[in-house]
Amino acid sequence: MERSKRQKQRKVLLMGRSGAGKSSMRSIIFSNYVAKDVRRLGATVDVEHSNIRFMGNLMLNLWDCGGQDSFVESYLTNQRSHVFTSVAVLIFVFDISSKEAAADLLGFSSTIRALHEFSPNSKVFVLMHKMDLVPTDQKPRQLQQRSADVRATCIDEGFLDQQVEFWPTSIWDQSLYRAWTQVIYFLVPNASTIESMLRKLGELLDARELILYERTTCLVVTHITRGVEARNPYGDRFERMSSILKTHKHSMAKHTGTMASEVSFAEMQIKTGDFMFFITRLTENTNLAVVMPGDEAAFNAARINVQIARKEFDYLDIAERKGKDLQKQFDGDAAEHESRLSEDGEKSAHGKFGGP
C-alpha cells in the first residue's frame, strides 16, 4: 500500500494514422516481440490501455490509440476531454514513407490542438517511423523537410520548440530503442538522483562507464561516462546493447521454454585486452552495465562493490521528495567506507565501496 501511494503515474498517448507502426513498436518495446513477428499484429481497435510498471515508482499508463479515421474523429469530438486530459507525453508516429503527407500533417495538427487545450504543458515526441523504407541518400533531406513542417505546425498550435522532440525510427535497428529511451528518461521522476548516485559509484569503482537498464524492456534509463570513454566513437552503443540484450532474452526463452518477458540472467561478462565489461542486477527493476579498464583485480573488486551498493539503490522506487535524503545517505555511506579504508591504510580498488 505504501508503494502504491508513492507511485507516480504518467499518462502517455501513442497516436498516429493507421498503419504508421504504433502497435508494432509498442509490442517490440514492451511485449518482447522481435521485428519479424510484428507482421501478425492486427490493427488496434479504439484504445488499448496498458499499465506498465517502470523503474519502481513510475507507472506508465499507456494509451495506444487506433489510427482509423472513425476512431480519430471520436477522440477529437465526444472523447476529447477524456483522451487528452492529464497527458504527460504524446508520442505521435508518422510513416515517413507515406504518400499522404498532407493528410498526416492535418491529423497531427488536430491532435496537438486538442492536447494544447487540455494538457498544454505536455511533452511531444514525434517519431518519423519506417526510415528503413527511405533510400539512404534521401533520408537526411526527407527527414529535415518533414520535421520542419511538423515543427511549424506545433508552433502554430501553441507548443514551444523545447516541448517537441524529433526522432527517426525503424523496427529493424537500434533507432527505436534510442527514441523510447528519451521518452522514458523524460518520465523518470528521480533521474537526477539516480545519475548523482551512479556518478559517485563510478568514481569509487574507477569505472569508464556505467549504464543503467530497465530489466524488462532493456531500455537505457541513464548512463555515466568517465575519462577516455568520452571519446568512444560509437554514439549508439547503449541502444545496440539494448538490442543485444533483447536478442539474448529471446535465445534464453527458446532454450528454456519460458516466455521472453519472464527470462532473466544473473550476470553477463566480456573480457578483452583493452577493457572488461559486466552487466548484473542492481535493483528489482534494473540491470547495471559496468565498463572497466582491462585489469582483473579491479574488475573483480567492481563486481563485489556493485553487490554491496545494491542496498543503496534499492530505494530507487521512492517519492521524488526523498531524493535528496537518499543522496546524503549514499554519500555518507561512501565517505564512511573510504574513511575506514584510510585508517587501515588500504587504498586498493577492491575495498573502495566497503568490500573485503
Side-chain angles (χ1 to χ4, degrees):
M1 289 180 64
E2 284 301 313
R3 174 170 291 181
S4 65
K5 289 179 182 178
R6 296 197 304 263
Q7 278 182 345
K8 292 184 175 291
Q9 288 208 8
R10 295 289 188 266
K11 182 178 179 180
V12 179
L13 297 184
L14 180 59
M15 306 188 79
R17 296 193 75 191
S18 181
K22 304 181 297 299
S23 297
S24 296
M25 62 172 62
R26 185 197 71 177
S27 297
I28 290 173
I29 296 296
F30 295 107
S31 300
N32 288 284
Y33 276 63
V34 293
K36 64 182 179 63
D37 291 337
V38 300
R39 295 188 183 99
R40 66 173 185 261
L41 293 172
T44 301
V45 177
D46 202 4
V47 179
E48 291 187 7
H49 298 272
S50 302
N51 287 316
I52 304 161
R53 184 181 169 192
F54 203 101
M55 282 299 297
N57 70 323
L58 175 61
M59 181 72 74
L60 296 188
N61 186 10
L62 183 64
W63 295 35
D64 183 359
C65 303
Q68 293 90 332
D69 291 343
S70 58
F71 296 144
V72 173
E73 183 179 356
S74 177
Y75 307 149
L76 296 174
T77 54
N78 57 306
Q79 296 188 66
R80 192 178 182 94
S81 63
H82 175 63
V83 171
F84 292 100
T85 295
S86 302
V87 175
V89 166
L90 166 67
I91 303 171
F92 199 95
V93 183
F94 283 93
D95 179 353
I96 193 71
S97 64
S98 173
K99 305 301 182 183
E100 301 179 340
D104 296 344
L105 194 60
L106 182 62
F108 174 73
S109 177
S110 300
T111 298
I112 61 169
R113 187 178 306 127
L115 183 68
H116 191 267
E117 180 181 352
F118 292 96
S119 302
N121 297 318
S122 57
K123 181 85 170 180
V124 179
F125 288 88
V126 178
L127 306 189
M128 297 297 182
H129 198 45
K130 302 186 181 181
M131 290 298 297
D132 55 286
L133 299 180
V134 180
T136 303
D137 61 333
Q138 298 179 23
K139 285 182 180 180
R141 179 183 58 80
Q142 194 161 337
L143 181 62
Q144 183 179 14
Q145 180 179 342
R146 295 291 295 275
S147 298
D149 292 340
V150 173
R151 178 174 280 110
T153 302
C154 292
I155 294 174
D156 289 344
E157 297 298 341
F159 280 92
L160 302 176
D161 199 47
Q162 60 266 31
Q163 286 181 268
V164 186
E165 291 189 18
F166 296 83
W167 294 94
T169 58
S170 169
I171 63 173
W172 301 102
D173 60 31
Q174 61 271 14
S175 62
L176 183 63
Y177 292 100
R178 170 167 285 195
W180 278 87
T181 291
Q182 302 305 314
V183 175
I184 298 306
Y185 182 81
F186 174 78
L187 291 170
V188 170
N190 49 0
S192 59
T193 298
I194 296 170
E195 288 177 344
S196 182
M197 294 170 70
L198 284 177
R199 191 171 291 108
K200 185 66 175 179
L201 180 59
E203 293 171 359
L204 293 170
L205 301 180
D206 195 23
R208 291 182 179 178
E209 199 157 53
L210 301 180
I211 311 104
L212 190 66
Y213 289 92
E214 200 278 330
R215 296 189 76 190
T216 303
T217 62
C218 300
L219 288 175
V220 178
V221 178
T222 189
H223 73 278
I224 298 298
T225 301
R226 304 177 64 249
V228 297
E229 203 65 31
R231 300 195 297 270
N232 192 315
Y234 297 97
D236 61 350
R237 60 191 181 277
F238 310 128
E239 293 76 28
R240 287 176 181 248
M241 192 64 196
S242 293
S243 183
I244 291 170
L245 291 172
K246 273 289 184 76
T247 302
H248 182 56
K249 289 182 68 173
H250 281 278
S251 179
M252 292 175 64
K254 180 179 179 181
H255 288 92
T256 59
T258 57
M259 295 179 62
S261 59
E262 299 175 353
V263 166
S264 185
F265 58 88
E267 186 170 296
M268 180 191 300
Q269 297 182 9
I270 300 174
K271 297 182 180 181
T272 74
D274 297 323
F275 72 93
M276 294 184 178
F277 168 96
F278 69 91
I279 181 167
T280 186
R281 181 185 68 80
L282 184 63
T283 70
E284 179 183 353
N285 302 292
T286 60
N287 286 328
L288 181 67
V290 181
V291 181
M292 299 287 299
D295 180 276
E296 188 73 31
F299 178 82
N300 291 330
R303 292 178 59 232
I304 294 172
N305 284 309
V306 168
Q307 294 177 18
I308 295 171
R310 283 174 180 165
K311 66 177 182 178
E312 309 295 343
F313 285 88
D314 274 338
Y315 297 95
L316 288 179
D317 55 345
I318 56 169
E320 187 175 9
R321 58 186 173 80
K322 293 186 179 180
K324 293 183 179 179
D325 294 338
L326 260 185
Q327 184 59 52
K328 289 179 181 178
Q329 178 184 341
F330 184 89
D331 291 342
D333 288 348
E336 180 184 346
H337 292 313
E338 289 188 330
S339 175
R340 187 189 315 132
L341 291 174
S342 178
E343 292 173 1
D344 295 340
E346 296 178 14
K347 298 293 186 179
S348 69
H350 186 62
K352 280 187 177 178
F353 199 72

